Amino acid sequence: MKRLSILITIFFLGVMNSLAQDVQFSQFSAAPLYLNPAFAGSSYEHRFSANYRVQWPNLPKAFNSYALSYDYNMPSLNSGFGLLLVGENAGSLGLQTTSIGLVYSYKLQITDNWVLSPGIQFSYTFRNLSGADRIQGFNQLNFGNPDIPPTDPAFRNIQRTGFVDLGAGFLIHNKNMWLGFAAHHINRPDNSLNDSPIEQEVKYSIHGGYRIPILSGPFRGDKKTSIAPAFLYKSQGAFDQLDLGIQLHYEPISFGIWYRGIPIQQEVNDQASQDAVVFVMGLQFAKLDVGYSYDFTVSGLGANTGGAHEISFMYRFNVRKSNRVTRKEKFVPCPSHY
């Protein structure tokens, strides 16, 4: 019974924590529009991306997150356009979040090799706590645990909510290097599920990387080999994290290892500053990229949670009659560490 009490408390706190923090993906480069709206149209071809993440699978009702996006580049307008769908089902109490967004970016070629791209995102988000009726049942079990929330009108008044959400960012890149900044929830929407207003904290992120060819071979047609160190720093309210790692690509296979956390922060209680070591592997074909990653938990939650599993797909296709780019449509695609 005590173990069950602990599990319930963990998941209730997890749901409350997810009210403050956004969905995160270990393979953040495989979710470009979710990372930064400036990535819209950063590929010459049309692009469809899909990501799915299961966090803490060893506990009841694991946290499930997904992102779907589609974007394309329109050279005649120096612009990129995209659609983004993000969803999450968090924990035993069933906090369901679904966001649908429109994304736009403008491509400003500042030199022959460098592109500056500002971007904006307009989304509408729905939230609902489908398991709100379980809170009263948990309290009636009388585990004797003061951390379990009491039954009060605030919980009985939980209802579905929706709000407008705005984001913006910029990206500067050439064919091998990229650096970006993004801010989400810049209008600080009220995401409360009852009558007590709760402003969504602004999420800031800085991200970048560099793809380094290490073996091209003396003959044409040799497999391309490169390494790509990259980073993602994000901050939202009292939480901040740093994803830092490196990816090795030997066509068509890639491997990577990442650390998520901030090692210099040793006395923290948010389970975010010492989070996980992430192992990534992937396959890259002419039109399709497939990735899988596993997060090995190193925080106080321990490995018994089962870490996190994540898969990603990215499909590129060209609807033009020719891949040839005219002088007017000269375009520098953004690289990827995959």
Side-chain angles (χ1 to χ4, degrees):
M1 186 68 71
K2 183 177 180 181
R3 182 181 178 185
L4 180 59
S5 165
I6 293 173
L7 287 177
I8 292 172
T9 302
I10 288 175
F11 272 90
F12 178 80
L13 294 177
V15 168
M16 293 300 103
N17 182 59
S18 63
L19 287 170
Q21 288 184 288
D22 282 11
V23 174
Q24 65 176 353
F25 293 103
S26 295
Q27 301 176 60
F28 54 84
S29 237
L33 269 63
Y34 179 72
L35 177 62
N36 189 338
F39 276 107
S42 59
S43 172
Y44 177 76
E45 300 166 303
H46 291 233
R47 177 172 58 185
F48 174 80
S49 300
N51 309 77
Y52 180 72
R53 177 181 177 87
V54 179
Q55 186 167 328
W56 302 345
N58 288 354
L59 296 180
K61 299 290 185 180
F63 286 48
N64 296 274
S65 309
Y66 65 87
L68 301 172
S69 69
Y70 167 75
D71 67 302
Y72 69 99
N73 172 261
M74 186 176 290
S76 60
L77 297 178
N78 295 323
S79 299
F81 300 87
L83 298 171
L84 176 63
L85 173 66
V86 180
E88 180 184 30
N89 193 335
S92 295
L93 299 184
L95 176 62
Q96 298 173 345
T97 305
T98 304
S99 178
I100 304 172
L102 300 174
V103 185
Y104 170 79
S105 70
Y106 183 79
K107 312 300 177 185
L108 177 63
Q109 192 152 341
I110 53 181
T111 71
D112 288 342
N113 298 315
W114 286 92
V115 174
L116 175 64
S117 177
I120 58 174
Q121 176 182 328
F122 176 90
S123 300
Y124 195 84
T125 300
F126 303 92
R127 306 198 99 181
N128 181 46
L129 196 63
S130 61
D133 56 330
R134 301 173 200 164
I135 297 175
Q136 183 174 359
F138 290 162
N139 190 58
Q140 291 173 346
L141 289 176
N142 191 22
F143 292 136
N145 191 328
D147 292 328
I148 296 178
T151 302
D152 61 33
F155 291 103
R156 292 198 299 268
N157 197 33
I158 289 175
Q159 57 187 344
R160 182 184 180 93
T161 188
F163 51 87
V164 173
D165 203 350
L166 303 178
F170 75 85
L171 178 71
I172 184 169
H173 68 87
N174 59 22
K175 290 184 178 180
N176 293 306
M177 182 182 298
W178 67 98
L179 179 66
F181 170 82
H184 293 86
H185 319 303
I186 56 179
N187 59 323
R188 296 181 66 89
D190 177 11
N191 66 0
S192 174
L193 295 172
N194 54 34
D195 296 332
S196 302
I198 300 177
E199 285 190 346
Q200 183 86 352
E201 297 281 359
V202 181
K203 181 182 73 174
Y204 302 98
S205 66
I206 303 174
H207 39 273
Y210 184 44
R211 187 176 60 190
I212 308 169
I214 58 175
L215 180 63
S216 57
F219 306 104
R220 291 184 180 273
D222 283 357
K223 294 181 182 296
K224 297 178 181 178
T225 307
S226 63
I227 59 173
F231 74 94
L232 166 62
Y233 172 78
K234 50 185 180 286
S235 174
Q236 187 173 16
F239 301 93
D240 63 340
Q241 277 187 339
L242 174 66
D243 289 25
L244 184 65
I246 191 167
Q247 201 89 356
L248 170 64
H249 178 69
Y250 180 72
E251 191 178 71
I253 303 172
S254 65
F255 298 95
I257 184 168
W258 298 79
Y259 175 76
R260 179 183 300 124
I262 302 180
I264 61 174
Q265 295 184 2
Q266 298 297 329
E267 297 182 1
V268 292
N269 298 314
D270 58 17
Q271 307 295 345
S273 297
Q274 312 292 329
D275 190 359
V277 175
V278 183
F279 302 94
V280 185
M281 64 178 299
L283 294 172
Q284 186 178 60
F285 304 101
K287 298 294 183 181
L288 176 68
D289 297 348
V290 181
Y292 167 78
S293 63
Y294 175 72
D295 295 17
F296 180 80
T297 304
V298 297
S299 72
L301 294 176
N304 292 333
T305 60
H309 300 272
E310 187 175 311
I311 57 174
S312 68
F313 299 90
M314 183 177 291
Y315 180 70
R316 300 172 298 274
F317 57 97
N318 193 352
V319 297
R320 302 182 188 182
K321 295 181 179 180
S322 172
N323 288 331
R324 188 175 179 181
V325 182
T326 66
R327 182 180 299 272
K328 183 178 180 180
E329 295 181 341
K330 188 176 181 181
F331 175 69
V332 179
C334 182
S336 168
H337 65 263
Y338 288 96

